[in-house]
Amino acid sequence: MATEQPTPAAAGDQTRIHNIGYRGYDGPRLGRAYARRSLYSQSLRGAYGLGRSAKTKVLPMLLFAVMCVPAGIMVAVAVATKADELPLRYTTYAVVMQAVISLYLASQAPQSVSRDLRFKTVPLYFSRPIETADYVRAKYAALASALFVLTAVPLLVLYVGALLAKLDFTDQTKGFAQGLVSVALLSLLFAGVGLVVASVTPRRGFGIAAVIAVLTIPYGAVSTLQAIADVQDSSGAVPWIGLFSPITLIDGVQTAFLGATSGFPGGTGPSTAEGLVYVLVTLGLIAGSYGLLIRRYKKVGL
């Protein structure tokens, strides 16, 4: 049986035109620089849970407090006992607190990039004036800045406390400046390593585990091999073994050039010549991390 077809008049009665209000934008175009600054600001705030739900603030703020509390205790002890110097050098603080720094990096590096990969929002960034290099620079700078805040604020607490304890101003200022240089280099290196590892997987849990593994396994292996070399009277090999772990790289650089006390077995830190190798390796890792991120996101953005 043939079905009845609607007449043209009836079909016309069913047609509607909806004005949904799309209009062209005639305002100012702020360009790549503004987009890059906005992405940097948003990523930096996100590293401490600012502008997000309350539960996302708990871990980064807790780790920030854990980093600062020991510094406050040291200051209180120095003031109460009228000590001639702080219990810990500025350059040593970050090395001692490396577990907290690693945990912070493991929690925030995946948060910075894995969400964009998981929800496939990276191509949307590149549909705007922002380019691959802008995205990588903003994310890298934001995480490095977050790490610098995490590691520099405790040093500031130590410095202010030392001045309140009336310790020598010149010595404390010099030590504080050396500590800031050390944690700035650490922040750049750790941010690069963390972002490269986290960008491999869109799953945040895998990213956290991978970052922890990359930071802790090499450090454990290097420390073990250094201890064995020291026991076997091969102290000359100890500095060279330290080239294979991010935290021992920072330890070697600050021992050679920033007047720090080495955490290597037997206190055998690198010489000035060996320290130059440490600097080159550290800068190479930073540049290499940036290059790997650029290549990674060029593929993702296609």
Side-chain angles (χ1 to χ4, degrees):
M1 183 176 64
T3 58
E4 183 178 355
Q5 299 294 329
T7 63
D13 291 340
Q14 298 174 0
T15 302
R16 298 288 186 273
I17 297 177
H18 298 278
N19 180 11
I20 58 178
Y22 286 119
R23 293 181 300 174
Y25 177 71
D26 297 325
R29 302 289 179 174
L30 301 177
R32 289 173 55 189
Y34 180 83
R36 187 167 55 243
R37 289 194 301 270
S38 298
L39 182 57
Y40 166 80
S41 175
Q42 181 265 338
S43 300
L44 178 57
R45 286 167 53 83
Y48 285 95
L50 302 178
R52 302 176 61 201
S53 62
K55 66 179 182 180
T56 61
K57 298 179 176 64
V58 174
L59 184 58
M61 292 302 180
L62 178 61
L63 293 175
F64 180 78
V66 171
M67 283 291 295
C68 293
V69 167
I73 294 174
M74 292 178 191
V75 166
V77 171
V79 172
T81 61
K82 298 181 179 180
D84 295 331
E85 60 183 13
L86 292 172
L88 203 64
R89 289 191 176 189
Y90 295 96
T91 50
T92 308
Y93 193 87
V95 176
V96 172
M97 302 296 290
Q98 61 176 294
V100 181
I101 300 171
S102 299
L103 185 57
Y104 177 86
L105 179 64
S107 65
Q108 297 310 312
Q111 186 274 139
S112 181
V113 295
S114 295
R115 288 161 55 90
D116 291 342
L117 294 172
R118 182 165 69 252
F119 297 115
K120 302 183 186 303
T121 56
V122 175
L124 295 179
Y125 283 110
F126 300 156
S127 67
R128 296 296 180 182
I130 193 171
E131 296 183 359
T132 304
D134 299 316
Y135 179 88
V136 171
R137 288 171 191 161
K139 290 292 184 178
Y140 199 144
L143 186 57
S145 298
L147 283 169
F148 183 74
V149 170
L150 181 75
T151 53
V153 170
L155 301 187
L156 181 60
V157 173
L158 288 175
Y159 180 63
V160 172
L163 297 184
L164 291 176
K166 298 181 179 179
L167 301 184
D168 185 77
F169 176 80
T170 303
D171 289 343
Q172 297 305 315
T173 302
K174 179 181 178 182
F176 178 57
Q178 290 172 336
L180 289 181
V181 173
S182 175
V183 297
L185 193 60
L186 181 147
S187 299
L188 288 171
L189 177 60
F190 274 43
V193 172
L195 287 176
V196 167
V197 175
S199 67
V200 173
T201 174
R203 298 190 178 184
R204 187 182 179 192
F206 289 165
I208 291 173
V211 172
I212 292 176
V214 167
L215 292 178
T216 57
I217 292 176
Y219 175 71
V222 165
S223 298
T224 301
L225 291 174
Q226 286 180 325
I228 293 173
D230 185 59
V231 171
Q232 297 294 328
D233 295 328
S234 300
S235 58
V238 170
W240 299 111
I241 298 173
L243 292 169
F244 298 95
S245 167
I247 192 64
T248 53
L249 274 173
I250 300 300
D251 191 331
V253 171
Q254 65 183 18
T255 300
F257 298 108
L258 298 176
T261 301
S262 177
F264 293 173
T268 308
S271 63
T272 302
E274 293 167 339
L276 289 174
V277 178
Y278 271 71
V279 171
L280 292 175
V281 172
T282 302
L283 295 179
L285 284 175
I286 293 171
S289 298
Y290 177 77
L292 287 173
L293 287 169
I294 291 289
R295 288 198 292 269
R296 166 65 173 158
Y297 280 98
K298 279 184 177 179
K299 294 180 181 179
V300 172
L302 294 177

